[in-house]
């Protein structure tokens, strides 16, 4: 067995890279705490405002109305502007949009604030990834990307008990205010400690900075595969953010206090999946596997397996629902680790911020659809439980389909050659699943 050579342009990890990684991890913790609060407070919000399942689905979807547009616009800005200042401005927007909910609000005000918050959070993950890639060379990016992705899981794991206590002891209004204060605290820390990475002009696979037309990048099969695969994963995540706590209370009969802790389980399992995926991917690369196997296959197969598990939910005893739902939805996490790294393999650095942002903008469109579809299905079902089961079955089909598309389309190790119009490296396809 021979190993892949160290990519041209590779360099060591600059001093301070892990400090920035930790700060951006906290950034994503706050990001997902903001996302989860509506789902966590779903039952009291529905009661206080008299919302139907369809209206609550609309509320969940509203967060994503400007999410994608904002992600694309700011992604292009990130190609030229300092990510340090972009991230600071985003955090301030998060804070400002939380505080109106501390007082008495109606459904319209709540929706408007969530739309503005979504516009501020749409670019967050892409800009954070673009920022962290300025601190790590290509062959060392998978693990920090996995850590950054864990901000989503820990944003739920750490804040659910805390916000749940605030909701139970005080009100759901105050929970939003707490998140506003936390966003301000992160902004202060980032202003004091945040820096721009020194590897802004370094790319592991692009020896020069020759630009590639965006239409070619956006129609490349690996880009399409990343969007398709992550679309299915984000469908499951969006349901978890909006409907999971309500399902535990309304479908399984638990109290709000019990649901606050049970809701953590999928995120704990998902955190383990993401960290393992990042570690396994990096280990496979070190042992000479191509990125087709170490990233493309590794990210796609768990989606298919997870979807198959979710498809069994309507047919198993009630006692099996929670563990199967936790495992099936948690397996989605692997794709978030590998897709940004795959896009970074063939995208010139000067275009990477926009490409990762467009990728995020497209796959998060499922965030608009998933909560609304679940709300409509529940409202028109014979019982809430039947509606939830139908919604999870739709989720299963989408996950399997997206995983299959990812498995067919994700070939990052040969994408650069295709985009450059040159022939594929000899043995690229043959060696995709085994060390080369």
């Amino acid at each position: 067995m021979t190993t892949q050579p160290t990519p041209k342009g590779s360099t060591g990890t600059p001093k301070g890279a892990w400090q920035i990684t930790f700060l951006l991890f906290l950034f994503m913790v706050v990001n997902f705490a903001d996302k989860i609060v509506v789902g966590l407070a779903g039952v009291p919000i529905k009661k206080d405002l008299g919302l139907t399942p369809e209206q609550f689905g609309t509320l969940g979807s509203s967060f994503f109305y400007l999410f994608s547009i904002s992600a694309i616009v700011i992604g292009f800005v990130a190609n030229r502007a300092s990510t340090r200042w972009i991230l600071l401005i985003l955090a301030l927007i998060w804070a400002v949009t939380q505080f109106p909910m501390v007082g008495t609000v109606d459904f319209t005000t709540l929706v408007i604030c969530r739309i503005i918050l979504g516009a501020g959070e749409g670019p967050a993950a892409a800009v954070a990834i673009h920022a962290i890639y300025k601190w790590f060379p290509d062959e060392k990016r998978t693990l920090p990307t996995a850590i950054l992705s864990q901000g989503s899981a820990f944003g739920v794991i750490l804040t659910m008990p805390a916000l749940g206590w605030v909701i139970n002891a005080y009100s759901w209004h105050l929970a939003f205010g707490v998140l506003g204060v936390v966003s301000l605290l992160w902004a202060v820390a980032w202003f004091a400690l945040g820096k721009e990475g020194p590897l802004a002009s370094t790319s592991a696979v692009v020896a020069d900075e020759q630009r590639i037309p965006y239409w070619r990048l956006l129609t490349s099969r690996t880009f399409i595969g990343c969007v398709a695969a992550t679309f299915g994963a984000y469908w499951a995540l969006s349901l978890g953010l909006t409907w999971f706590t309500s399902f535990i209370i309304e479908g399984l009969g638990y109290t709000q206090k019990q649901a606050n802790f049970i809701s953590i389980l999928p995120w704990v399992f998902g955190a383990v999946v993401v960290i393992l995926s990042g570690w396994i991917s990096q280990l496979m690369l070190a042992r000479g596997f191509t990125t087709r196997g170490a990233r493309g296959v590794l990210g796609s197969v768990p989606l298919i397996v997870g979807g198959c598990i979710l498809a069994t939910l309507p047919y198993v005893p009630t006692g099996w629902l929670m563990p199967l739902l936790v495992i099936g939805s948690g397996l989605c996490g692997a794709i978030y680790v590998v897709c940004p790294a795959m896009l970074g393999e063939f995208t010139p650095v000067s275009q990477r911020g926009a490409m990762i942002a467009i990728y995020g903008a497209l796959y998060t469109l499922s965030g608009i659809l998933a909560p609304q579809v679940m709300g409509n299905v529940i409202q028109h079902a014979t019982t809430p439980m039947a509606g939830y089961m139908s919604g999870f079955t739709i989720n299963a089909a989408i996950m399997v389909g997206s995983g299959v598309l990812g498995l067919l389309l994700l070939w990052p190790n040969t994408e650069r050659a295709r985009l450059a119009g040159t022939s594929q490296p000899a043995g690229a396809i043959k060696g995709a699943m085994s060390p080369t």
Side-chain angles (χ1 to χ4, degrees), residues 217-242:
L217 292 169
L218 296 173
T219 55
S220 64
R221 67 181 183 184
T222 297
F223 178 82
I224 294 171
C226 280
V227 171
T230 319
F231 182 93
Y234 208 79
W235 188 286
L237 185 145
S238 300
L239 291 183
L241 291 172
T242 307

Side-chain angles (χ1 to χ4, degrees), residues 216-351:
R216 296 190 67 189
L217 292 169
L218 296 173
T219 55
S220 64
R221 67 181 183 184
T222 297
F223 178 82
I224 294 171
C226 280
V227 171
T230 319
F231 182 93
Y234 208 79
W235 188 286
L237 185 145
S238 300
L239 291 183
L241 291 172
T242 307
W243 284 104
F244 190 71
T245 303
S246 293
F247 167 67
I248 295 171
I249 297 172
E250 298 171 342
L252 301 182
Y254 289 94
T255 65
Q256 177 75 50
K257 186 175 181 180
Q258 291 170 324
N260 293 339
F261 290 93
I262 296 172
S263 297
I264 296 173
L265 296 177
W267 302 93
V268 173
F269 180 74
V272 174
V273 169
V274 169
I275 291 295
L276 281 176
S277 299
W279 176 74
I280 292 171
S281 176
Q282 208 149 292
L283 182 63
M284 290 174 70
L285 289 173
R287 294 192 174 183
F289 282 78
T290 66
T291 51
R292 157 66 177 169
R295 289 172 176 171
V297 175
L298 185 66
S300 300
V301 171
L303 273 171
I304 299 172
V305 175
C308 291
I309 292 173
L310 291 184
T312 67
L313 292 182
Y315 312 104
V316 300
T318 303
W320 283 92
L321 288 176
M322 188 56 61
L324 291 177
L325 186 57
V326 167
I327 295 171
S329 57
L331 286 173
C332 296
I335 198 69
Y336 298 111
V337 179
V338 297
C339 273
M342 285 190 284
L343 296 178
E345 286 185 57
F346 60 87
T347 303
V349 173
S350 62
Q351 298 171 271

